[in-house]
DNA sequence: CTAGTTGCAAAGCGTTTGCGTCGGC
DNA sequence: GCCGACGCAAACGCTTTGCAACTAG
C-alpha cells in the first residue's frame, strides 16, 4: 500500500505549487498569503479576475484581504509570472505566463474563452511588425466568434454589464 | 444681397463634419454639443480618450460637460460610428469606424500608435476561428514593438501610469 | 533585527446616473 | 409641446495606498 513517496503528515508540508516555485526562483519572499494565492492560481484553469482569486483563496484556506490579492497579482505580473488580460467588462483577468504563448477566442454568445496557439500567426505577426520597421516585442490577439451552427444568441451578454465566465 | 442659398454670415452654417453626417444618416438628434463633439472626432487623426475629446471641444468652441462627452461617445459607439479601444492605461480610446478595419502597432518606447491593415491576417483570422468551430464576428490585434535600430528605451513608459500619446 | 508584507479603511480614477432644466424637432 | 439631451454633482466599481501591526529571512 505504501511505497517511497511522501506519506508522512499529509497536512504538514504541502508541496510548493507550480507558481510558488516560480516565485522562489525569482527570490520573492514567500508569506502564507502568497503561497495561498500562488496555489489558487496554479490550480486555476480559467482566467480569473481578482475577485475570483480572492473568493477561491478564502474558500481554500482562511484570512486574506483583497488588497493583498491585488498587491500579489501585480507583483506576479511585474515578475513575468502572470499576464494581465482584458476581455472587456472592466476587470483585469489573469493568466499564468508559464503555459506558453497563446491567444483567445471569445464566444460572443456565451462569454466563454477558448485558448489557442498558432505558429502561422506568430510568424505573420513578426513579419507585419517588420514591415513597419519594428521588431516584435509583444502581441495581443483576440478573436470574437459565434459557434458555426449554434443555439440562439443571448443578447444580454453584449453590453457593458457584469460578464462572468471562463 | 440675399438670394436663395446661404451665403449670409460666413460663420452661420459651417458644413456638417464627416461624423455629423453619419449621425444624421442614423437619425440621431443633432444638438450643438453633439455637432461639436462630432467635429472634434472628425478632425482627430489619433485615438483620443474622453478627456482629449473634452479638452478639444472646449478649446474649439465653448460649453460642454464631460458627462455629455461620455454620453455622446457611448451613443456613437452603439451606433457603430466609433469603436472603443483599450491600449492599456485605464482609459478607453476612440477610433472612428469609417476608416476601414485596421489594427495597431504600439511603440513600447514612445507609446505612439501606428495603424495598419493586413489582408493576409484577415484571412488567417477567419481560418483560425473556423478551425475552432466558430465563425468570426470580430477581432482585436495589437502588436507591441520597438524600432528596429532605435534610440534608448524610456523605461518609465511601461508601468500603469498616465500614458499619453497618439 | 529589519526590510518588506498585511489588513483596514480611505482615497483615486475613469465612468455612469438621477434630477431639474433646457432645447431640437 | 413633448421627448430627449444637458449640466451638475453624487454614486459606482475596480484598483491603489497610507498607516500601524506583524513576519520572513
Amino acid at each position: 500500500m505504501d511505497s517511497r513517496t511522501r506519506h508522512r503528515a499529509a497536512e504538514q508540508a504541502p508541496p510548493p505549487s507550480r507558481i510558488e516555485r516560480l516565485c522562489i526562483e525569482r527570490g520573492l519572499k514567500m508569506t502564507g498569503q502568497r503561497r495561498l494565492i500562488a496555489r489558487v492560481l496554479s490550480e486555476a484553469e480559467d482566467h480569473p479576475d481578482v475577485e475570483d482569486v480572492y473568493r477561491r483563496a478564502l474558500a481554500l484556506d482562511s484570512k486574506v484581504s483583497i488588497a493583498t490579492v491585488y498587491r500579489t497579482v501585480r507583483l506576479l505580473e511585474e515578475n513575468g509570472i502572470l499576464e494581465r488580460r482584458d476581455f472587456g467588462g472592466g476587470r483585469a483577468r489573469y493568466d499564468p505566463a508559464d503555459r506558453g504563448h497563446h491567444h483567445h477566442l471569445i464566444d460572443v454568445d456565451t462569454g466563454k474563452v477558448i485558448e489557442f496557439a498558432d505558429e502561422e500567426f506568430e510568424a505573420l505577426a513578426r513579419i507585419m511588425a517588420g514591415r513597419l520597421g519594428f521588431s516584435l516585442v509583444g502581441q495581443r490577439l483576440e478573436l470574437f466568434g459565434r459557434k458555426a451552427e449554434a443555439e440562439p444568441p443571448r443578447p444580454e451578454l453584449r453590453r457593458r454589464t457584469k460578464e462572468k465566465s471562463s
Side-chain angles (χ1 to χ4, degrees), chain A residues 129-148:
Chain A
R131 275 186 200 136
L132 297 166
F134 285 75
S135 69
L136 193 63
V137 168
Q139 44 177 259
R140 189 154 72 186
L141 170 63
E142 274 135 42
L143 302 181
F144 297 83
R146 173 164 289 144
K147 272 232 168 56

Side-chain angles (χ1 to χ4, degrees), chain A residues 16-42 71-82 98:
Chain A
S17 64
R18 186 166 44 89
I19 288 184
E20 182 179 347
R21 265 191 303 269
L22 290 171
C23 291
I24 295 170
E25 266 176 41
R26 326 241 154 157
L28 300 178
K29 189 191 267 189
M30 287 314 293
T31 67
Q33 292 85 326
R34 284 195 186 164
R35 240 183 298 274
L36 180 54
I37 293 167
R39 184 169 150 217
V40 165
L41 289 167
S42 297
R71 281 191 272 237
T72 304
V73 292
R74 186 190 244 265
L75 178 77
L76 297 184
E77 194 208 343
E78 281 164 354
N79 280 273
I81 296 174
L82 287 185
D98 62 347

Side-chain angles (χ1 to χ4, degrees), chain A residues 29-119:
Chain A
K29 189 191 267 189
M30 287 314 293
T31 67
Q33 292 85 326
R34 284 195 186 164
R35 240 183 298 274
L36 180 54
I37 293 167
R39 184 169 150 217
V40 165
L41 289 167
S42 297
E43 290 174 358
E45 305 198 329
D46 52 355
H47 304 85
D49 59 31
V50 169
E51 281 249 78
D52 292 328
V53 177
Y54 177 53
R55 252 195 313 276
R56 292 176 202 176
L58 283 187
L60 202 57
D61 204 333
S62 48
K63 267 256 162 302
V64 207
S65 81
I66 196 155
T68 297
V69 179
Y70 272 105
R71 281 191 272 237
T72 304
V73 292
R74 186 190 244 265
L75 178 77
L76 297 184
E77 194 208 343
E78 281 164 354
N79 280 273
I81 296 174
L82 287 185
E83 280 175 16
R84 190 204 308 242
R85 303 283 184 178
D86 164 45
F87 296 148
R91 316 113 122 97
R93 295 169 63 171
Y94 289 89
D95 203 358
D98 62 347
R99 293 193 235 154
H101 256 315
H102 59 260
H103 311 289
H104 300 95
L105 186 151
I106 295 100
D107 183 325
V108 297
D109 295 326
T110 68
K112 283 261 178 334
V113 177
I114 297 172
E115 297 187 358
F116 69 94
D118 191 295
E119 294 287 332

